[in-house]
């Protein structure tokens, strides 16, 4: 990874930690207090041993010292517990904020952008990669301050007693972070590669899992299993790279810490046998001084060792942050929204003038288009695949940006409150989405405050009550993900009932009968005809024989509007005539 990029990512991560400044300060404060108590603990322990071994003091005279030692040990345990809690809260608060940033960005970019990547990739970005930042905010950031404060306090306690031991601490301390940085230079790259492999595996696995039936029918299940095995092998290899660097870093830190403590121990050993006579201030080195400094010696390096251990968390967070920051900084045109209220939402009129629908990357998907949809008018939108029909629908829904003019009841769509605008839309697509829950839950998705009588009414109007009544638990029948347990026709009728419950002034229908059998298609069309009577309606349709009942037909080709008029007036000319001729030919061949 480029060093400049790594510095920028580190800076971004640290800027996020300011959101949990209170928890961060508490965590550092408790760590510093624990360091102060540690000095007191070492002093009590050294004092007790000195009195017992050198002064031969009766142990009953040291009850106060024993009690003080117990109290300090207890207080240190409380500080450690509090520090863990504060660190976790710090990481939790920052993770919630980062996850909210991602979700807000996804919301701004819209469904059209999200379809560009597999669902597993988004799941990995929102879940796994954000979670991998926990230790960075909970442990590494507080430990950076503690690794400076606690050793300084120990140096202030050691130097007045023995300058030689203090000098050893002062000289050897920088070696730990220096070698930590050297070992960790490749850790961020290893973590970045690991997250990329995880994203690929997640997306690959989720997509193949969704299409498992198709893969088995085409005898591709074993081949895809091999592909998954290869992707998992890459992830395993990348993970082992990360672990290897983590263990190497820990081993290096332990080595230098052990060497430094050994130097101090050897110095005091030779001092006590009279081979060395320096480091003190004109007095002999007492047992208290030696024990006190030797007890503090490993604790002097412990914050630095902990920082080295948590340095892996920093590399992990930088690797995760790369994809997140890259996504948050994605240059994509967003569908801008205003705050104006929609006048007369009960009746919808749409006017488009030189409308160009754009992709999130700024490419023209359809247009320029100029058309009007009058209040209570029933409009059909037809055209071959790739004509731009779906792009136009996404623009109307506020999911894609546009240039030109697109007015709803005289107000530019960019200036409208999109949440309010979508509340006026009753939408039925060709692939009904049913969420995990009961049949009633899926109907009331359009209005969670609806009463049972209202739910029963729309179910009856959508001809959904006829199969709901046959279900063992009726409206409480549990529907699994992706409409599991219901046929496509049944799911579509629930979707129609949901749209009726929404009771919007504008009905937007995207080939609502594309995947239905003849009986289900008849029932859905009847229910839709009843629901959209007197309502402004735009229906994308592949059934050209149904166009005669519509007030007007819009025909699109290659992103342009090529025909606009009543079916009887335009059916003998242009693209619509060709489409009808091809349909008639297919019917004859069948």
């Amino acid at each position: 990874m480029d060093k400049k990029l790594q510095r920028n990512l580190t800076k971004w991560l640290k800027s996020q930690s300011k959101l949990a400044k209170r928890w961060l300060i508490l965590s550092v404060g408790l760590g510093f207090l624990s360091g102060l108590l540690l000095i007191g603990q070492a002093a009590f322990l050294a004092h007790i041993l000195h009195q017992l071994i050198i002064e031969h003091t009766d142990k009953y005279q040291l009850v106060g010292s024993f009690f003080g030692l117990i109290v300090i040990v207890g207080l240190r345990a409380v500080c450690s517990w509090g520090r863990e809690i504060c660190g976790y809260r710090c990481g939790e608060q920052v993770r919630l904020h980062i996850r909210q940033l991602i979700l807000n960005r996804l919301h701004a970019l819209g469904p059209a952008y999200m379809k560009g990547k597999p669902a597993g990739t988004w799941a990995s970005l929102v879940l796994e990669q954000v979670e991998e930042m926990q230790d960075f905010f909970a442990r590494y950031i507080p430990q950076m301050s503690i690794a400076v404060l606690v050793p300084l306090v120990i140096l202030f306690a050691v130097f007045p007693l023995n300058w030689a031991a203090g000098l050893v601490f002062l000289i050897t301390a920088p070696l730990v972070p220096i070698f930590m940085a050297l070992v960790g230079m490749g850790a961020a790259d290893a973590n970045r590669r690991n997250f990329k492999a995880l994203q690929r595996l997640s997306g690959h696995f989720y997509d193949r899992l969704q299409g498992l039936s198709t893969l088995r029918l085409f005898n591709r299940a074993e081949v895809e299993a091999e592909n998954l095995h290869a992707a998992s092998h890459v992830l395993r290899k990348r993970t082992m790279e990360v672990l290897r660097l983590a263990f190497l870093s820990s081993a290096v830190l332990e080595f230098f810490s052990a060497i430094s403590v050994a130097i101090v121990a050897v110095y005091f050993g030779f001092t006590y046998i009279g081979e060395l006579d320096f480091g003190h201030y004109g007095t002999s080195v007492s047992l208290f001084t030696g024990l006190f400094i030797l007890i503090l010696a490993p604790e002097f390096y412990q914050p630095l060792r902990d920082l080295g251990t948590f340095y892996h968390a920093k590399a992990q967070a930088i690797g995760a942050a790369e994809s997140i920051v890259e996504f948050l900084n994605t240059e994509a045109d967003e569908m801008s929204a205003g705050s104006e209220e929609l006048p007369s939402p009960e009746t919808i009129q749409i006017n488009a003038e030189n409308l160009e629908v754009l992709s999130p990357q700024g490419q023209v998907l359809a247009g320029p288009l100029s058309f009007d949809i009058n209040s209570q008018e029933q409009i059909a939108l037809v055209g071959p695949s790739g004509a731009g029909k779906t792009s136009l629908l996404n623009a109307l829904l506020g999911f894609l940006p546009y240039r030109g003019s697109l007015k709803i009841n005289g107000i530019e769509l960019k200036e409208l409150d999109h949440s309010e605008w979508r509340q006026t839309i009753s939408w039925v697509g060709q692939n009904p989405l049913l969420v995990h829950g009961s049949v009633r839950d899926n109907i009331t998705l359009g209005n969670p405050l609806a009463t049972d009588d209202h739910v029963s009414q729309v179910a009856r109007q959508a001809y959904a009550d006829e199969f709901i009544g046959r279900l063992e638990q009726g409206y409480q029948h549990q529907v699994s993900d992706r409409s599991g347990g219901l046929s496509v026709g049944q799911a579509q009728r629930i979707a129609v009932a949901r749209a009726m419950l929404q009771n919007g002034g504008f009905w937007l229908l995207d080939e609502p009968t594309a995947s239905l059998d003849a009986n289900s298609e008849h029932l859905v069309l009847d229910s839709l005809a009843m629901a959209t009577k007197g309502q402004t309606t735009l229906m994308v349709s592949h059934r050209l024989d149904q166009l005669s009942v519509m007030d007007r037909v819009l025909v699109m080709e290659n992103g342009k509007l090529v025909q606009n008029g009543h079916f009887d007036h335009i059916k003998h000319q242009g693209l619509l005539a060709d489409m009808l001729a091809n349909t008639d030919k297919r019917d004859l061949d069948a």
Side-chain angles (χ1 to χ4, degrees):
M1 181 186 296
D2 180 72
K3 290 184 179 180
K4 182 179 179 181
L5 175 60
Q6 190 168 341
R7 285 195 299 269
N8 290 336
L9 293 175
T10 304
K11 185 178 179 181
W12 181 83
L13 286 168
K14 289 181 179 179
S15 68
Q16 303 306 309
S17 66
K18 296 178 181 177
L19 300 167
K21 189 175 182 179
R22 179 167 61 96
W23 292 112
L24 187 61
I25 292 174
L26 283 173
S27 179
V28 173
L30 289 171
F32 180 65
L33 179 59
S34 179
L36 294 176
L37 292 171
L38 172 64
I39 295 174
Q41 176 182 318
F44 270 113
L45 189 56
H47 171 71
I48 290 171
L49 292 174
H50 178 83
Q51 291 297 319
L52 290 174
I53 297 172
I54 303 300
E55 304 296 337
H56 302 291
T57 305
D58 187 80
K59 57 181 176 293
Y60 293 107
Q61 297 180 13
L62 300 174
V63 171
S65 297
F66 279 111
F67 180 75
L69 180 62
I70 293 172
V71 170
I72 287 180
V73 170
L75 289 174
R76 285 197 67 203
V78 172
C79 287
S80 297
W81 173 78
R83 184 184 164 195
E84 287 292 323
I85 295 296
C86 294
Y88 176 80
R89 294 301 181 192
C90 174
E92 179 185 45
Q93 192 167 338
V94 176
R95 283 187 294 112
L96 286 173
H97 173 71
I98 293 175
R99 189 169 282 126
Q100 191 62 54
L101 288 178
I102 296 173
L103 294 177
N104 290 343
R105 184 63 173 160
L106 284 172
H107 182 267
L109 293 174
Y113 181 86
M114 292 175 63
K115 287 183 178 179
K117 290 184 179 180
T121 299
W122 298 121
S124 175
L125 185 72
V126 176
L127 298 176
E128 286 97 340
Q129 293 188 229
V130 175
E131 288 297 321
E132 293 294 343
M133 297 181 175
Q134 171 67 19
D135 282 349
F136 176 80
F137 296 109
R139 300 180 183 275
Y140 181 79
I141 292 291
Q143 192 63 35
M144 286 179 66
S145 299
I146 294 170
V148 175
L149 294 174
V150 173
L152 279 177
V153 170
I154 292 177
L155 283 176
F156 280 121
V158 169
F159 261 109
L161 295 176
N162 191 285
W163 61 263
L167 197 60
V168 172
F169 290 164
L170 193 61
I171 292 173
T172 56
L175 294 176
V176 176
I178 288 173
F179 281 92
M180 176 183 69
L182 291 175
V183 173
M185 285 178 64
D189 277 337
N191 278 280
R192 178 180 58 83
R193 291 191 296 268
N194 187 49
F195 284 122
K196 292 293 185 182
L198 178 62
Q199 278 189 338
R200 285 194 295 269
L201 179 60
S202 297
H204 194 83
F205 176 72
Y206 186 77
D207 286 349
R208 270 52 181 181
L209 191 63
Q210 285 183 317
L212 185 59
S213 299
T214 303
L215 293 174
R216 293 182 67 179
L217 288 172
F218 284 89
N219 197 29
R220 297 287 297 176
E222 292 184 3
V223 175
E224 290 301 327
E226 289 296 326
N227 291 337
L228 281 173
H229 181 269
S232 64
H233 177 71
V234 171
L235 177 62
R236 182 165 56 249
K237 183 179 178 181
R238 298 288 182 256
T239 304
M240 293 308 296
E241 287 180 7
V242 174
L243 292 175
R244 185 168 62 249
L245 285 170
F247 287 131
L248 178 60
S249 176
S250 298
V252 169
L253 297 178
E254 292 293 336
F255 173 76
F256 282 103
S257 298
I259 290 294
S260 302
V261 173
I263 292 173
V264 175
V266 169
Y267 161 74
F268 279 109
F270 278 96
T271 300
Y272 286 134
I273 64 176
E275 295 296 329
L276 295 177
D277 187 21
F278 64 89
H280 51 81
Y281 298 97
T283 59
S284 60
V285 179
S286 65
L287 181 63
F288 170 83
T289 301
L291 288 174
F292 178 72
I293 295 176
L294 283 173
I295 292 171
L296 289 179
E299 300 297 339
F300 175 82
Y301 298 102
Q302 189 60 48
L304 297 171
R305 290 157 63 190
D306 289 341
L307 182 64
T309 302
F310 301 148
Y311 190 81
H312 172 67
K314 176 190 176 183
Q316 200 171 33
I318 290 175
E322 184 185 20
S323 297
I324 294 175
V325 173
E326 180 182 355
F327 168 67
L328 294 177
N329 295 334
T330 299
E331 293 185 2
D333 292 332
E334 301 176 12
M335 181 61 194
S336 57
S339 58
E340 290 210 24
E341 296 184 0
L342 181 68
S344 303
E346 300 83 10
T347 56
I348 300 298
Q349 180 176 344
I350 300 174
N351 306 100
E353 186 71 28
N354 294 322
L355 172 67
E356 288 185 329
V357 183
L358 308 176
S359 71
Q361 291 74 30
Q363 298 174 337
V364 178
L365 301 176
L369 305 170
S370 297
F371 62 88
D372 297 322
I373 300 178
N374 300 317
S375 174
Q376 300 182 355
E377 192 174 20
Q378 307 274 313
I379 302 294
L381 181 63
V382 299
S385 298
K389 304 186 297 295
T390 301
S391 299
L392 177 58
L393 294 191
N394 280 326
L396 287 169
L397 289 168
F399 293 152
L400 282 177
Y402 68 86
R403 286 197 297 257
S405 176
L406 180 58
K407 294 183 178 180
I408 313 297
N409 288 358
I411 305 296
E412 197 66 44
L413 180 57
K414 294 177 181 178
E415 301 172 1
L416 283 176
D417 182 339
H418 284 184
S419 297
E420 183 186 352
W421 161 235
R422 289 171 189 142
Q423 286 295 319
T424 67
I425 300 175
S426 289
W427 179 81
V428 181
Q430 55 183 304
N431 298 310
L433 172 65
L434 299 189
V435 299
H436 186 82
S438 65
V439 170
R440 188 186 188 284
D441 292 337
N442 278 279
I443 294 177
T444 57
L445 195 65
N447 185 358
L449 301 179
T451 63
D452 290 341
D453 291 340
H454 202 179
V455 172
S456 300
Q457 178 184 350
V458 295
R460 185 168 55 256
Q461 291 173 344
Y463 299 102
D465 61 327
E466 66 173 28
F467 73 84
I468 294 176
R470 295 196 300 269
L471 299 174
E472 185 176 346
Q473 294 180 300
Y475 286 92
Q476 298 306 316
H477 175 81
Q478 293 296 308
V479 180
S480 60
D481 295 333
R482 301 179 65 80
S483 309
L486 297 177
S487 69
V488 177
Q490 292 171 338
Q492 192 68 304
R493 278 180 268 175
I494 289 178
V496 173
R498 180 165 61 199
M500 289 179 173
L501 196 63
Q502 178 85 341
N503 195 28
F506 178 47
W507 280 73
L508 195 55
L509 312 174
D510 184 9
E511 300 194 24
T513 62
S515 304
L516 303 183
D517 57 80
N519 180 57
S520 296
E521 181 181 27
H522 175 71
L523 293 175
V524 168
L525 287 176
D526 281 353
S527 61
L528 287 174
M530 178 174 56
T532 59
K533 187 176 182 179
Q535 300 285 356
T536 306
T537 305
L538 177 63
M539 180 175 72
V540 177
S541 179
H542 67 289
R543 293 296 303 269
L544 303 182
D545 55 340
Q546 300 168 355
L547 302 182
S548 58
V549 300
M550 307 300 287
D551 295 327
R552 223 164 8 107
V553 179
L554 303 180
V555 184
M556 290 187 67
E557 183 181 23
N558 296 327
K560 302 291 192 300
L561 186 62
V562 295
Q563 288 180 277
N564 182 356
H566 191 274
F567 177 73
D568 291 336
H569 298 157
I570 63 174
K571 66 179 180 179
H572 298 301
Q573 54 187 318
L575 178 61
L576 184 58
D578 295 338
M579 294 172 65
L580 288 169
N582 291 332
T583 301
D584 293 340
K585 184 182 180 194
R586 284 196 298 270
D587 291 340
L588 289 174
D589 292 341

